[in-house]
Amino acid sequence: MEATEMQEFAKQVKEGGEESLTSISLAISILAVLVAMVTVLGHRAHTEAVLAQSRAGDQWSLYEAKKIRQDNLTVTVDLLAMQPSTDAKATAAKIAEYKAHIAKWTDDLKDEQAKADEFEAEVKVAEQKAVRFDLGEALLQIAVVLSSIMLFTRRRSFFVGGLALGAAGLVVAASAWLVR
């Protein structure tokens, strides 16, 4: 290539906007990295929701087990009260002991239910976070695609639209940390 041909080629490159393609490619790469980061955060939020749901289920199982024990003991107290006994004092003492257990378990059940409700609240928060991360991820993925279309069409509007969607995706994903 001669010097004049090289100058003409450089002029065509500048006129065609090839110089700005580097910055656009860099922006697309940054958007892709942001997609990956938001994806990981979304997966962690989903995992957090599943674990909280598991804890809530375990807590409800504990509540049910204690409730069944309490109900069984209530039936036992009723049966002891109706049965004739050879030692009325021993029966009365046993009934008093069982009633004390029932009273204690009534308080325990309130605590167990409160813990289970807390875990369920954690599930809701984690799911709300996950939804926001998922939406942010989707918007960022669309931003990458739109911005990439600019490389083929040379229409800057695709790139600007992609950046706008990318910014919206970041805002939505960041809003997940505001969920309480």
Side-chain angles (χ1 to χ4, degrees), residues 7-56:
Q7 287 174 347
E8 278 183 45
F9 181 71
K11 184 179 177 184
Q12 288 174 355
V13 166
K14 285 182 182 176
E15 288 173 1
E18 299 295 324
E19 208 170 86
S20 66
L21 287 183
T22 304
S23 59
I24 290 170
S25 297
L26 179 63
I28 293 170
S29 298
I30 291 170
L31 285 172
V33 168
L34 291 172
V35 167
M37 290 170 57
V38 171
T39 300
V40 169
L41 291 171
H43 288 188
R44 290 181 65 107
H46 283 289
T47 301
E48 184 181 326
V50 168
L51 291 174
Q53 183 63 52
S54 177
R55 286 190 301 269

Side-chain angles (χ1 to χ4, degrees), residues 32-110:
V33 168
L34 291 172
V35 167
M37 290 170 57
V38 171
T39 300
V40 169
L41 291 171
H43 288 188
R44 290 181 65 107
H46 283 289
T47 301
E48 184 181 326
V50 168
L51 291 174
Q53 183 63 52
S54 177
R55 286 190 301 269
D58 290 347
Q59 194 63 41
W60 281 118
S61 294
L62 180 61
Y63 171 87
E64 288 174 8
K66 286 185 176 185
K67 181 71 174 154
I68 290 168
R69 257 187 274 153
Q70 181 187 34
D71 290 344
N72 285 342
L73 203 52
T74 302
V75 169
T76 302
V77 167
D78 291 344
L79 289 174
L80 282 174
M82 292 188 299
Q83 294 280 332
S85 170
T86 57
D87 189 357
K89 279 185 168 182
T91 303
K94 212 35 132 167
I95 289 174
E97 178 186 336
Y98 289 164
K99 284 185 177 181
H101 281 297
I102 291 169
K104 181 192 177 304
W105 288 341
T106 300
D107 291 337
D108 287 353
L109 285 173
K110 289 176 187 172

Side-chain angles (χ1 to χ4, degrees), residues 82-170:
M82 292 188 299
Q83 294 280 332
S85 170
T86 57
D87 189 357
K89 279 185 168 182
T91 303
K94 212 35 132 167
I95 289 174
E97 178 186 336
Y98 289 164
K99 284 185 177 181
H101 281 297
I102 291 169
K104 181 192 177 304
W105 288 341
T106 300
D107 291 337
D108 287 353
L109 285 173
K110 289 176 187 172
D111 293 340
E112 302 302 338
Q113 183 176 4
K115 287 178 189 175
D117 289 339
E118 285 177 27
F119 288 139
E120 286 183 347
E122 287 179 24
V123 171
K124 289 178 184 175
V125 168
E127 286 175 345
Q128 289 173 349
K129 284 181 178 183
V131 165
R132 289 183 187 210
F133 283 130
D134 290 346
L135 180 57
E137 176 188 355
L139 290 172
L140 283 165
Q141 287 177 343
I142 294 168
V144 168
V145 171
L146 274 180
S147 298
S148 299
I149 290 173
M150 188 276 175
L151 295 174
F152 299 114
T153 65
R154 304 288 193 247
R155 289 186 152 166
R156 208 152 185 72
S157 59
F158 284 112
F159 182 65
V160 172
L163 287 181
L165 274 177
L170 280 177

